[in-house]
């Protein structure tokens, strides 16, 4: 008995990190036919069942205006479904991870945040996501924006704090890797207890002498960041005690 496999055609628009890794991953799926073009090559757009726009956020609306393919989705966290300006069906295929071309991606560990205008299209995106991983969430545009800003705190802002710590170490001939075990333990803890329960340090203890000593060691810019974070920790600690 012959078994016919329905091939789904995928067009990825973009040359950035997300487009690079999606194209690489989809190429390994034998039920998918994958094409990729740059956002500057939109004079002749190939037909595809699903067109994935993986360009910079500011370009999504302009790029989508030029697409007449039946189902168009974007990969941005902070742009809602209506940002797409195509006149055909719309959706969102957002992956909650930081991508870089030089680093391999394990899609099985990446959350997929999906949205579509109707349930049938949502199921199509769900099936597509399942070819790569299994952490799949039905997230609407408002929720996705909140996920995105939360991700900025845990990823972008945290990474900037790593940068500050590395600068302090480098300027004082201290190997930055001395902090690696602490970084790893901090990340591990919040998988088993809440961030509030994991919070330690001079701010939560209201150790004013240590805080003053720390501020004396820092530049004006770093003093400001330190003070803002210290105040936030203390205010949150106070509010938690009040609630309890």
């Amino acid at each position: 008995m012959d078994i016919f496999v329905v091939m789904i055609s995928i067009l990825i628009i973009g040359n950035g990190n997300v487009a690079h890794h999606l194209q690489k991953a989809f190429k390994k799926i034998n039920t998918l036919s994958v094409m990729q073009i740059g956002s500057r090559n939109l004079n002749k757009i190939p037909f595809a069942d699903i067109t994935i726009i993986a360009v910079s956020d500011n370009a999504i609306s302009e790029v989508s205006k030029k697409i007449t393919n039946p189902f168009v989705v974007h990969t941005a966290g902070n742009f809602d479904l209506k940002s797409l300006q195509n006149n055909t069906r719309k959706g969102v295929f957002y992956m909650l991870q930081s991508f870089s071309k030089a680093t391999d991606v394990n899609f099985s560990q990446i959350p997929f945040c999906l949205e579509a205008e109707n349930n049938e299209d949502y199921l199509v995106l769900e099936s597509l996501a399942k070819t790569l991983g299994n952490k799949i969430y039905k997230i609407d545009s408002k929720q996705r924006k909140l996920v995105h800003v939360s991700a900025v705190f845990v990823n972008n802002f945290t990474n900037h704090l790593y940068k500050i710590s590395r600068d302090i170490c480098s300027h004082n001939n201290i190997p930055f890797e001395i902090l690696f075990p602490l970084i790893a333990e901090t990340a591990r803890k919040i998988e088993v207890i809440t961030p509030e329960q994991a919070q330690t340090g001079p701010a939560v203890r209201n150790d004013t002498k240590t805080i003053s000593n720390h501020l004396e060691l820092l530049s004006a810019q770093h003093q400001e960041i330190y003070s803002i974070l210290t105040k936030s920790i203390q205010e949150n600690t106070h509010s938690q005690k009040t609630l309890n």
Side-chain angles (χ1 to χ4, degrees):
M1 179 179 177
D2 293 332
I3 298 176
F4 294 96
V5 177
V6 177
M7 293 286 289
I8 298 175
S9 56
I10 307 289
L11 172 63
I12 300 171
I13 299 178
N15 292 316
N17 297 329
V18 172
H20 169 81
H21 284 292
L22 274 181
Q23 189 266 356
K24 186 178 177 181
F26 284 148
K27 280 282 188 181
K28 298 176 182 177
I29 311 300
N30 58 16
T31 56
L32 301 178
S33 172
V34 185
M35 301 168 285
Q36 182 180 5
I37 62 172
S39 58
R40 298 178 184 274
N41 301 317
L42 299 177
N43 54 326
K44 189 175 182 181
I45 300 173
F47 174 86
D49 297 313
I50 304 174
T51 301
I52 300 175
I53 300 177
V55 300
S56 65
D57 291 358
N58 291 339
I60 290 172
S61 295
E62 193 61 34
V63 169
S64 62
K65 284 180 183 178
K66 301 176 182 179
I67 302 172
T68 58
N69 286 345
F71 190 21
V72 180
V73 305
H74 70 66
T75 60
N78 196 46
F79 273 62
D80 59 31
L81 194 68
K82 295 178 181 178
S83 298
L84 291 166
Q85 299 298 308
N86 57 297
N87 293 319
T88 50
R89 290 144 44 218
K90 301 176 176 70
V92 180
F93 195 79
Y94 172 56
M95 293 152 290
L96 184 56
Q97 187 52 275
S98 175
F99 293 90
S100 60
K101 288 183 180 178
T103 305
D104 289 336
V105 173
N106 181 0
F107 278 100
S108 67
Q109 297 300 311
I110 294 178
F112 289 82
C113 301
L114 309 179
E115 184 181 11
E117 293 176 303
N118 58 66
N119 189 58
E120 184 178 350
D121 283 341
Y122 174 82
L123 293 176
V124 170
L125 293 182
E126 185 179 66
S127 296
L128 184 62
K130 284 181 178 178
T131 66
L132 301 180
N134 53 23
K135 297 180 184 294
I136 297 168
Y137 300 84
K138 190 173 186 179
I139 300 287
D140 64 30
S141 290
K142 182 179 179 180
Q143 290 172 318
R144 191 173 57 260
K145 288 182 179 181
L146 292 168
V147 168
H148 191 262
V149 72
S150 298
V152 168
F153 273 95
V154 301
N155 177 241
N156 305 134
F157 290 169
T158 300
N159 188 70
H160 182 63
L161 296 179
Y162 292 159
K163 192 266 183 190
I164 291 173
S165 295
R166 186 179 185 279
D167 288 346
I168 293 170
C169 288
S170 295
H171 294 158
N172 293 279
N173 297 315
I174 301 168
F176 181 54
E177 58 264 28
I178 199 171
L179 296 174
F180 289 178
L182 179 60
I183 292 170
E185 176 64 10
T186 303
R188 187 201 66 79
K189 272 185 185 177
I190 61 168
E191 294 186 6
V192 293
I193 60 177
T194 67
E196 290 85 2
Q197 292 169 327
Q199 187 69 60
T200 61
V204 75
R205 296 192 303 266
N206 195 31
D207 189 344
T208 55
K209 187 173 182 179
T210 298
I211 292 169
S212 295
N213 289 340
H214 285 173
L215 289 170
E216 290 177 6
L217 296 169
L218 299 174
S219 67
Q221 182 187 34
H222 292 166
Q223 283 178 351
E224 183 179 4
I225 295 170
Y226 185 104
S227 297
I228 289 170
L229 292 175
T230 295
K231 182 180 179 182
S232 180
I233 291 170
Q234 291 175 335
E235 288 177 348
N236 276 272
T237 302
H238 177 72
S239 64
Q240 285 296 316
K241 287 180 179 178
T242 303
L243 288 173
N244 292 335

